[in-house]
Amino acid sequence: MREFFVEADGGSRGNPGPAGYGAVVGDAATGETLAEAAEYIGVATNNVAEYRGLLAGLRTAHALDPTARVHVRMDSKLVVEQMSGRWKIKHPDMKPLAAEARTVFPADQVTYEWIPRDRNKHADRLANEAMDAGAKGEQWSADTSRAALGTRPAPTEPPLPEPSGPPGDAAAGAAKARAALATGRDTGPARPLAAPVEDDVEAEAARAAEADAARAAEAEAARAAEVEVARAAEAGAARAAEVRAARAGEADVARAAQAETARPTEAEVARAAEAGAARAAEVDAARTDAAGAARTDVADAARTGVASPAGQAGAQTAGLRAARTVATPAPSTPSTPGWSAAPDLGAPATFVLLRHGETPLTPQKRFSGSGGTDPSLSDVGREQARRVATTLARRGTIQAVVASPLARTRETAGIVAARLGLRVTIDEGLRETDFGAWEGLTFGEVRERHPDDLNAWLADPEARPTGGGESFTETATRVEAARRRLVAAYAGRTVLLVTHVTPIKTFVRLALGAPPEALFRMELSAASLSAVAYYADGNASVRLFNDTSHLRT
């Protein structure tokens, strides 16, 4: 009996929006592609397009050999779990498609497997070709398809793509981060490891939602995505440093360049600035939790860029200064190269982002947003706040304190502000996401009581929790408005923002220009410190993330 594999995907540019699917049928023994199918299907959702791709793949395989065994591989967790019979299908548009897919082959001839997106690139390219053709008023044609030109991914993890733009090109770096995190938002909803909810529910989600094999594969994809997000952050920081260095005529970079030519070139300035960014990332990595190990690898790779000895030494010195402090306001006349703000940009508005200390719900891994019981800090949480206060007082850089209105953040902010001799200002935009009827429940309890709502919420940032909670898209809109308001109010100053998991991850995601699914690739501990600087030209630089070194002293 012959054995085929079917890889299928679908996407919607708008969800719902213009949609298309792609499917590949291959020989399971040799890996040879036997047939392709793709079609623009008009306006539909991501999930409907994925089911249409599955159906097309099965029909194509049936036409080749109706007696064959078929192994379906898709990056849609929803479709794989529903077709395997482990999840129920309630959406009226998907029920008939699933039922029709089950009639193509006898049930004992078809198996299903979830795979990461980077192993489903062929079908994804076909789906995008179909949507591109539809945008031109045409249908996909196999004669003009280029989807099969890429090499099929090997069983082992493929090498990470390098940024395609010039050194410090933030746009290119962000594009590569998006490619690593997902093939594209318009090719289907993200399949997160877990939800970035209050009190670290994401760890529980990863353990409960994924089977062992899927968990292992997705963990590999997450590590690759994290490296690319870090690389995008460094690229953005390097680009900002390059612009400031070019405008200010940094002395160290100029002296290094003059060793070879009369004037420094833009490429040399970029390389020197990039070296400083890499060194800063390396030192930050050494001070953070387990996530620091991945960041160190990124810093080592970034240091392979060539820089002249004098320029590299100056840039690394500046990088070390940036890493030794959460944020130091730039002097009116810059005295250090690399990270100091140029006179025409002025000092940045720097947000030091502090997640509140532990509450009684934190170790229980329960949803705790802005719509629940509003718990205060536990004794452990108060001690964490005191340690943060000691560290920030020693650094002496905080000029104002702003907090979320919830009790745990107000209490954390009060402990720190008292030590710093500052008062606390409340901003409603910094509150945590409202998790609706899930407040106070564990992830496992939510899965038992509201499985369909939970699946939709994990797959789509616009989905709300049961009972009218707040979507991550709505949270991002609120946080972005607060960011604009606070940057204007505290221009050139360093401000401590005491807030929660989702707002802090959103500040970082927006600064990196990363897509919504980046939220699921970040770990954030209680009482951890992060920092983002915002410049007058619109650039942002992530300077620190999830630093908990002050809790280990």
Side-chain angles (χ1 to χ4, degrees):
M1 179 179 289
R2 297 181 70 184
E3 292 189 12
F4 297 146
F5 67 80
V6 169
E7 293 175 352
D9 200 6
S12 171
R13 294 172 177 171
N15 198 28
Y21 66 75
V24 184
V25 180
D27 187 302
T30 66
E32 177 188 1
T33 296
L34 303 177
E36 296 175 325
E39 183 183 4
Y40 173 70
I41 60 174
V43 175
T45 65
N46 285 318
N47 295 143
V48 167
E50 288 166 341
Y51 264 106
R52 290 286 299 273
L54 167 64
L55 188 55
L58 291 173
R59 286 173 173 167
T60 302
H62 189 273
L64 293 174
D65 187 346
T67 67
R69 292 189 180 277
V70 179
H71 184 58
V72 177
R73 303 192 294 236
M74 298 182 68
D75 61 59
S76 171
K77 184 71 172 174
L78 180 72
V79 175
V80 168
E81 293 297 319
Q82 288 179 339
M83 291 302 297
S84 299
R86 291 185 289 268
W87 291 359
K88 293 182 180 180
I89 306 173
K90 292 189 176 182
H91 196 285
D93 292 338
M94 290 187 282
K95 279 186 176 181
L97 293 172
E100 189 173 358
R102 290 193 178 101
T103 66
V104 179
F105 282 94
D108 60 356
Q109 289 180 220
V110 184
T111 57
Y112 291 87
E113 176 191 4
W114 176 89
I115 59 174
R117 283 177 176 257
D118 63 358
R119 290 179 54 195
N120 201 29
K121 291 180 179 179
H122 192 163
D124 171 74
R125 286 193 291 265
L126 288 170
N128 274 287
E129 285 185 352
M131 287 185 281
D132 291 342
K136 301 174 184 176
E138 304 170 355
Q139 274 294 349
W140 176 84
S141 170
D143 295 335
T144 59
S145 174
R146 298 173 60 85
L149 292 181
T151 302
R152 296 191 63 80
T156 56
E157 182 179 349
L160 296 174
E162 295 297 327
S164 59
D169 187 339
K176 293 301 181 184
R178 291 187 178 91
L181 288 166
T183 306
R185 178 70 185 117
D186 46 32
T187 64
R191 276 68 180 182
L193 280 171
V197 300
E198 185 68 7
D199 299 321
D200 299 322
V201 176
E202 58 265 42
E204 180 69 13
R207 287 192 296 270
E210 304 294 338
D212 289 344
R215 182 191 307 152
E218 192 168 9
E220 288 301 314
R223 282 192 288 273
E226 182 176 308
V227 171
E228 283 304 313
V229 171
R231 183 176 293 156
E234 290 178 8
R239 179 59 180 166
E242 174 193 346
V243 173
R244 291 193 292 277
R247 290 175 178 171
E250 296 291 338
D252 283 353
V253 176
R255 281 195 296 273
Q258 286 168 359
E260 295 180 15
T261 62
R263 295 181 59 185
T265 66
E266 183 174 343
E268 288 167 330
V269 174
R271 284 196 294 269
E274 198 166 20
R279 183 58 180 159
E282 179 188 17
V283 177
D284 277 344
R287 297 170 53 206
T288 55
D289 289 330
R295 300 300 196 280
T296 301
D297 291 339
V298 175
D300 287 341
R303 284 203 307 278
T304 60
V306 179
S308 58
Q312 188 170 22
Q316 288 181 349
T317 299
L320 283 167
R321 291 194 184 99
R324 284 178 184 142
T325 182
V326 171
T328 302
S332 57
T333 302
S335 59
T336 58
W339 289 98
S340 57
D344 57 341
L345 290 178
T350 301
F351 292 171
V352 178
L353 305 168
L354 170 61
R355 184 190 170 191
H356 61 79
E358 282 191 11
T359 75
L361 299 183
T362 303
Q364 299 176 26
K365 302 185 186 302
R366 295 184 179 275
F367 284 86
S368 182
S370 59
T373 58
D374 195 16
S376 298
L377 297 180
S378 64
D379 290 341
V380 171
R382 294 184 186 95
E383 175 59 25
Q384 289 172 334
R386 284 190 286 269
R387 293 194 178 194
V388 172
T390 298
T391 296
L392 294 180
R394 184 167 57 247
R395 290 172 179 166
T397 59
I398 302 300
Q399 298 169 286
V401 179
V402 183
S404 153
L406 300 184
R408 53 194 180 273
T409 44
R410 286 190 288 105
E411 188 174 1
T412 301
I415 293 171
V416 176
R419 178 67 182 272
L420 300 179
L422 300 171
R423 67 182 184 87
V424 178
T425 301
I426 300 299
D427 192 301
E428 287 285 338
L430 299 180
R431 60 180 172 81
E432 179 59 288
T433 301
D434 182 349
F435 295 116
W438 303 348
E439 295 279 359
L441 302 179
T442 65
F443 183 88
E445 290 168 342
V446 172
R447 186 181 60 180
E448 291 176 0
R449 301 179 192 183
H450 311 286
D452 293 327
D453 289 346
L454 180 62
N455 292 337
W457 183 74
L458 290 172
D460 188 348
E462 296 184 2
R464 295 178 176 178
T466 307
E470 189 178 22
S471 72
F472 286 136
T473 297
E474 291 169 324
T475 300
T477 300
R478 167 167 56 78
V479 171
E480 171 63 12
R483 184 199 67 79
R484 289 195 300 266
R485 183 169 60 250
L486 293 170
V487 166
Y490 295 99
R493 304 174 69 189
T494 299
V495 186
L496 180 68
L497 305 187
V498 187
T499 178
H500 310 264
V501 168
T502 311
I504 293 175
K505 290 184 177 182
T506 301
F507 275 114
V508 172
R509 178 182 76 78
L510 294 175
L512 296 178
E517 53 264 39
L519 292 177
F520 306 116
R521 308 303 186 193
M522 291 184 262
E523 176 75 18
L524 199 69
S525 303
S528 63
L529 289 167
S530 304
V532 182
Y534 300 93
Y535 292 90
D537 61 357
N539 283 321
S541 173
V542 177
R543 295 189 166 185
L544 191 69
F545 183 74
N546 196 37
D547 179 14
T548 57
S549 58
H550 49 278
L551 302 180
R552 299 192 294 272
T553 57

